[in-house]
Amino acid sequence: MAKAERGPRERMVFSAAQLIRRDGVHSTGMRQVAADAAAPRGSLQHYFPGGKTQLVDEAVGWAGRYAARRVPRFLAALPEPTPSGLFAEMVRQWTDEYEAAGFAGGCPVAAATVECAESVPSTRTAASGAFSTWTGAVAEALTGMGVPEERAGALATLMISSLEGAILLARAEQDVRSLTTVARELGPLLDAAARQEDP
Amino acid sequence: MAKAERGPRERMVFSAAQLIRRDGVHSTGMRQVAADAAAPRGSLQHYFPGGKTQLVDEAVGWAGRYAARRVPRFLAALPEPTPSGLFAEMVRQWTDEYEAAGFAGGCPVAAATVECAESVPSTRTAASGAFSTWTGAVAEALTGMGVPEERAGALATLMISSLEGAILLARAEQDVRSLTTVARELGPLLDAAARQEDP
DNA sequence: CCGCTACTATGACCGCGGTCATAGTCGAGG
DNA sequence: CCTCGACTATGACCGCGGTCATAGTAGCGG
């Protein structure tokens, strides 16, 4: 995969996240993860003595940090930062992928939540943490654009909820329509909240 | 389960949907479905010669029709029908369940999409159909409340996307906060679209 | 050169679960 | 009473996949 030249451990976590995106948690085998990461099978039990659960949990955590890390970069890429612009960038990451590479992958955190929320407590916690770091990053970005503090968290939740749901619809329909729709419909509402507190 | 006194076939479809809600598609076994439906195991291959795939597909279709059927009932329950009121009812169905019975279940269509979109074409199609009948019912309700036709579809997509995403967050966090948040934040936007075309 | 620790390598085990095969029941119609 | 179709019942098969056990290698400090 793309991100070579990291340790085998990190590569396995990364590969796990990628495979979970496509096939879900249960359909992703350990052997498959090792193969995809070009890592020896024996390393699995060495680096992840907690078994598959630990690997999945780390993959989910990694995904959450990855998503959060992208937020400031999206802002930096905008000519002038606005909430609607940020959301459009977040959505565009998905439409770009889907149009370029097909609708193979979803959000790994969503997959982990759907499959493990009830059966594997630690994974549920990991998913919760991933969502909250992601939401936190978005909320922080919003406050930086003039959204009142107490409103920023709510809007971040709304943005991520809509995005996650739109990803689901897009994969099912194999059409980015839902993604572009939520971006278009939510944009004005987001910008209005930023203007609330501006001079 | 609650809806007894239907044919064993329908009971199995219903049970499958319920179990998929909780554990996802892969973690739900055929034997488990039969047991939950109090149906004989041998009936599975009799009524569903297409195997598990057929059962899952039918469960997804059933869930879509169920969700669509509820929309007009929500409207009927409102003192005066408004888009925000409808959305609040849709959300409330989930908050009520979560507060009463815990965060065990999610949306079966979401589970099928996450786990089968890439691997099982027929299930992906079934999920797409389920989302579209659901969205269609919501859009129709919106036009009935004065939302312009070309806007209604987009808002329905936004509503369902937000709801699905908020369900994910709620299950992960074991907190209905995300659900109440999207209902609150989206309400004004929805009602504004309805007033667009009113006298 | 030894031995210790980190990592790699593989084969075996074992439970789970979908599917198939083969009967068994049972009510309706001849 | 017989038969035929619809449905029920169960045991067996078989692949998959996570985990364990048991080695083997490699680098390094002593």
Side-chain angles (χ1 to χ4, degrees), chain A residues 126-146:
Chain A
S128 175
F131 278 133
S132 109
T133 64
W134 188 12
T135 310
V138 171
E140 189 183 355
L142 289 178
T143 56
M145 293 184 280

Side-chain angles (χ1 to χ4, degrees), chain A residues 31 40-43 46-47:
Chain A
R31 291 162 172 84
R41 216 190 88 197
S43 298
H46 185 256
Y47 289 116

